[in-house]
Amino acid sequence: MLSLETFELTKAFGGNLVLDKTTVSFQHGKVNALIGPNGSGKTTFFNCVTGLIRPDSGRISYAGADITRRSPHAIARAGLGRTFQLCRVFPRMTALDNVLAATRPRGANLLRGARGRAEIDRARGWLTKLGIEHLMQTEARNLSWGQQKLLELAGVLMSEPETVLLDEPAGGVNPALLDRIGGLVRDLNAEGRTFVIVEHNMDLVMSISDHIVVFDRGRPIAEGPPSLIRTDERVLGAYLGA
């Protein structure tokens, strides 16, 4: 079963073609990675898939449904969650309130109705699972960069997405926290969640991925398991600098 597919997805900014009739699929129930050199279209691909920008043409399908023209909120309700390269947290709110606010609809008071015991317990549970429960009363601005990444992920998981898109989870993270993030991805995948991860840290990609897609100039040039990708000449030429 395919979790996420695109068909001839195209996006240009001015005269710069970023996605060039991109047709690609990611495997349901697996840890998928999307890699490629800077400027190859990875984040633009994520932005199109999650509704932040509209593609110029092409189609996006998730779980068999066409989501190409849906709003970001409708796509999230369909089961797709997403983190960003630059963490999106509320800096002057506590970690617990950040996680609670993540489930509020746009335009609503962020914390109105969010204080039910069941929801608070669920938020605490995610903070505990991600290893930052001791920081739940700490304002987000006082957390380290890696801790903010975990906090953002906790907020995403509050919506119980079936598929999680992670945009450079290893960026700026210390090695100990990086190991924790890798372990969390594997644990959450074992519980049934599908992942698609944009990442430049090849050690992380190769250690946790089941399936890897490689972009170059807005198109996939290779895909397969890590054992195949690490020896693919097209990948070595385009991404690893051989």
Side-chain angles (χ1 to χ4, degrees):
M1 178 181 178
L2 296 175
S3 179
L4 177 65
E5 302 173 273
T6 66
F7 305 90
E8 297 198 339
L9 200 66
T10 301
K11 182 64 184 179
F13 297 99
N16 182 24
L17 185 62
V18 181
L19 295 177
D20 184 11
K21 295 183 177 180
T22 303
T23 297
V24 66
S25 62
F26 298 96
Q27 296 181 355
H28 178 75
K30 302 294 185 180
V31 177
N32 301 269
L34 175 58
I35 67 173
N38 288 328
S40 61
K42 303 181 299 297
T43 293
T44 297
F45 179 84
F46 266 22
N47 288 341
C48 286
V49 165
T50 55
L52 292 181
I53 60 176
R54 291 286 178 88
D56 299 326
S57 61
R59 184 164 62 89
I60 305 163
S61 175
Y62 178 65
D66 189 335
I67 63 170
T68 311
R69 300 297 171 183
R70 293 188 188 181
S71 70
H73 297 283
I75 291 170
R77 286 194 297 271
L80 275 170
R82 186 255 175 97
T83 66
F84 294 82
Q85 287 182 26
L86 300 178
C87 297
R88 296 194 174 188
V89 297
F90 299 103
R92 294 183 180 274
M93 290 170 55
T94 67
L96 179 61
D97 283 345
N98 263 274
V99 179
L100 290 169
T103 61
R104 299 299 93 200
R106 185 174 64 174
N109 184 301
L110 286 176
L111 294 177
R112 183 182 300 154
R115 293 292 185 178
R117 175 52 54 189
E119 194 165 19
I120 291 174
D121 287 346
R122 198 158 61 87
R124 288 175 179 269
W126 280 119
L127 290 169
T128 298
K129 190 174 185 67
L130 271 62
I132 53 174
E133 71 282 1
H134 60 293
L135 300 168
M136 66 176 62
Q137 297 303 331
T138 302
E139 290 186 356
R141 60 179 174 168
N142 294 323
L143 303 182
S144 72
W145 183 248
Q147 290 166 343
Q148 288 185 31
K149 282 182 175 285
L150 290 172
L151 177 60
E152 184 185 33
L153 177 57
V156 169
L157 292 168
M158 273 291 284
S159 298
E160 300 292 345
E162 183 182 57
T163 298
V164 181
L165 280 61
L166 302 180
D167 199 349
E168 297 194 19
V173 175
N174 67 56
L177 210 50
L178 182 59
D179 287 343
R180 185 191 302 175
I181 290 173
L184 283 167
V185 169
R186 268 305 182 193
D187 289 346
L188 291 166
N189 173 248
E191 294 172 4
R193 284 183 175 81
T194 299
F195 281 86
V196 183
I197 304 172
V198 164
E199 186 49 67
H200 288 293
N201 186 312
M202 288 298 100
D203 288 339
L204 179 65
V205 168
M206 295 298 173
S207 67
I208 68 173
S209 301
D210 301 303
H211 181 76
I212 300 174
V213 174
V214 186
F215 269 19
D216 187 30
R217 300 178 184 178
R219 306 187 79 172
I221 59 169
E223 63 177 285
S227 59
L228 179 64
I229 294 301
R230 63 166 49 100
T231 59
D232 190 296
E233 291 185 359
R234 293 166 297 178
V235 178
L236 295 174
Y239 189 67
L240 301 179

